[in-house]
Amino acid sequence: MASGLSPFSFNLRHLAAVAAVTHKGSVSAAASTLHLTQPAVTQAIARVESIMDVQLFERRTDGMTPLPPAMALAERVEQAAEMIGSRRVTMAQLRAFLAVADSGSYAAAAAHSGLSQPTLHRAIGDLSLILRRSLVERRGRGIALTDAGRRTARNFRLARTELEAGLDEALGQSGGVPARITIGAMPLSRARVLPRALARFNTAFPAIEIVIVEGSHGELAESLRDGSIDMMVGAMRDPPPGPDLMQRPLFEDEVIIIARAGHPEAGPARDRPLSDLARYAWILPSPGAPLRARFDEMFRTAGLAPPPVPIECGSVMMIREILMQTDFLTLLSPDQVSVEQEAGWLVSLGAPPGGFSRAVALTTRAQWRPAPAQAAFIAELDRAATEPFASAYGTEREQICDSD
């Protein structure tokens, strides 16, 4: 997180005290809700304020008035508590379990976290008793998470993400360092709209750290579900990836057939029978990607077997180099290869017969609530998606690309 403060610096019960006082308006009401003494609640709030170096409440004779940092933090703490599932869970147990879940063994978790192996064993054993479920099982000389352990790990990661967001928002409200945004960019989704939105957002919010994580839909979807990334941009999936993820289209992307300069099919614009194009090998994304599905459908609709795809790839740079040295064909957005076309390396064979387009979408967790900085970035993304821009040839285009 951008603030440098880790949720692991805090006691979960202390954070719960901040949330309870924020919502109840007084220490006495919060103490009753949490089954703590009033001095314990007061000390918990003081400890959180000390670690954050931020005042969370205005102390008044008639109660505690939450300041903006407290209100920002309290909402996220409540969300995290729901994901953790028990107020008996401690931050030490949460940290220990995630260390083992992320590392795959007690030894590796100890090395990465600085916690001793006996401490890790004891914490996870206590956590299993609190949650009443087995979290880890022996597999030969190693360990593996049980099904319940995998679900718990995902919930704990999401809880950690909520706490990180809460701390960042609270510090932003107090004039501290604002949040970090982590964006998953699927293969071939990064030609125009995403870079434009990033450039504008950085100009408006230069202090906010932006991390771009590249990967396939499958890789990024799991990271999104775990809370490791905040959102992802790429081709919309049909059927949708599941009820826990929400897709929202940004724009429609059109594709053309691309080949090397000097390819046997290159030449004056003309209608090329699919049977001619079926004589060549193609380089395309792997099965399951929207572009690959439309490719197969295009040939089958014409009564032809889809031509071979001996190389499956989602990297524009790799595709470009392979095309330039072979007679392979591919499908890409014009904007992905405008520079290569201008340089004379690659040529367009025109739109596929009948043409087709696919939606590029923003995908988030279904119940995700963006922080102010994240909402501001999404607004820039929407703005960039609706604007035309000049291609390498000076014409106006509105589409970008994503052949994943």
Side-chain angles (χ1 to χ4, degrees):
M1 59 187 296
S3 66
L5 268 182
S6 167
F8 300 144
S9 303
F10 297 83
N11 183 307
L12 276 176
R13 291 181 178 85
H14 292 173
L15 294 174
V18 171
V21 173
T22 298
H23 293 141
K24 297 296 182 179
S26 71
V27 170
S28 60
S32 177
T33 299
L34 298 173
H35 306 292
L36 297 173
T37 65
Q38 293 186 40
V41 173
T42 301
Q43 291 170 12
I45 291 173
R47 179 57 178 163
V48 174
E49 288 180 325
S50 175
I51 295 174
M52 295 180 66
D53 194 23
V54 167
Q55 183 179 352
L56 298 174
F57 297 92
E58 180 183 351
R59 276 74 170 173
R60 304 168 60 94
T61 56
D62 59 345
M64 303 270 280
T65 301
L67 299 173
M71 291 186 285
L73 180 59
E75 291 297 323
R76 298 292 187 175
V77 169
E78 287 297 325
Q79 289 290 327
E82 289 185 15
M83 294 166 182
I84 292 170
S86 171
R87 292 195 181 275
R88 295 176 58 201
V89 174
T90 68
M91 189 69 84
Q93 292 164 349
L94 188 149
R95 179 190 179 194
F97 180 62
L98 286 182
V100 172
D102 293 340
S103 301
S105 72
Y106 285 102
H112 293 157
S113 68
L115 302 172
S116 68
Q117 291 193 48
T119 296
L120 293 168
H121 279 279
R122 183 169 55 254
I124 292 176
D126 291 345
L127 186 61
S128 294
L129 292 175
I130 290 170
L131 298 178
R132 298 181 180 180
R133 65 188 71 137
S134 175
L135 302 174
V136 175
E137 61 185 4
R138 288 284 179 185
R139 291 281 181 86
R141 294 185 176 181
I143 63 167
L145 297 182
T146 63
D147 289 343
R150 285 191 289 272
R151 290 192 298 270
T152 301
R154 171 158 289 168
N155 287 337
F156 279 15
R157 291 187 185 105
L158 291 174
R160 179 179 59 191
T161 297
E162 286 293 326
L163 293 175
E164 289 174 344
L167 291 170
D168 278 338
E169 289 177 40
L171 291 172
Q173 291 282 356
S174 67
V177 180
R180 175 176 65 187
I181 301 174
T182 306
I183 304 163
M186 284 184 266
L188 313 183
S189 70
R190 303 171 289 272
R192 298 285 182 178
V193 170
L194 186 55
R196 173 175 286 185
L198 288 168
R200 286 175 172 168
F201 183 81
N202 178 255
T203 299
F205 302 95
I208 295 180
E209 180 183 359
I210 300 174
V211 178
I212 305 297
V213 180
E214 301 179 18
S216 68
H217 182 274
E219 295 166 340
L220 294 177
E222 290 308 299
S223 295
L224 182 61
R225 289 184 169 102
D226 282 345
S228 301
I229 62 176
D230 301 314
M231 65 192 83
M232 63 182 186
V233 181
M236 177 175 281
R237 260 47 191 180
D238 186 17
D244 58 333
L245 297 182
M246 181 179 69
Q247 300 182 115
R248 177 168 67 80
L250 293 170
F251 59 91
E252 289 291 318
D253 174 44
E254 296 176 350
V255 298
I256 55 175
I257 303 169
I258 298 294
R260 66 173 174 84
H263 189 280
E265 292 295 325
R270 58 185 175 86
D271 291 332
R272 294 176 174 83
L274 269 179
S275 57
D276 288 354
L277 301 178
R279 295 187 292 113
Y280 299 94
W282 292 65
I283 179 169
L284 292 164
S286 58
L291 187 65
R292 182 66 176 271
R294 295 296 300 273
F295 169 82
D296 291 342
E297 179 186 359
M298 176 175 67
F299 282 94
R300 291 194 175 107
T301 299
L304 299 170
V309 182
I311 300 177
E312 296 174 352
C313 181
S315 164
V316 173
M317 182 180 297
M318 186 74 70
I319 291 172
R320 179 192 68 195
E321 295 302 317
I322 293 172
L323 290 181
M324 289 170 59
Q325 300 177 49
T326 68
D327 285 341
F328 274 67
L329 300 175
T330 195
L331 293 168
L332 292 173
S333 163
D335 299 302
Q336 288 180 273
V337 289
S338 60
V339 173
E340 288 82 355
Q341 287 184 267
E342 187 175 30
W345 301 338
L346 301 178
V347 297
S348 169
L349 303 187
F356 61 81
S357 64
R358 61 268 168 87
V360 174
L362 172 71
T363 304
T364 62
R365 292 184 293 278
Q367 304 302 320
W368 181 63
R369 181 169 60 89
Q374 294 162 340
F377 173 76
I378 291 173
E380 286 293 355
L381 196 61
D382 287 332
R383 176 186 170 197
T386 61
E387 292 178 344
F389 50 81
S391 73
Y393 303 99
T395 59
E396 293 295 311
R397 295 194 53 83
E398 295 184 358
Q399 291 79 23
I400 67 164
C401 53
D402 189 349
S403 291
D404 54 341

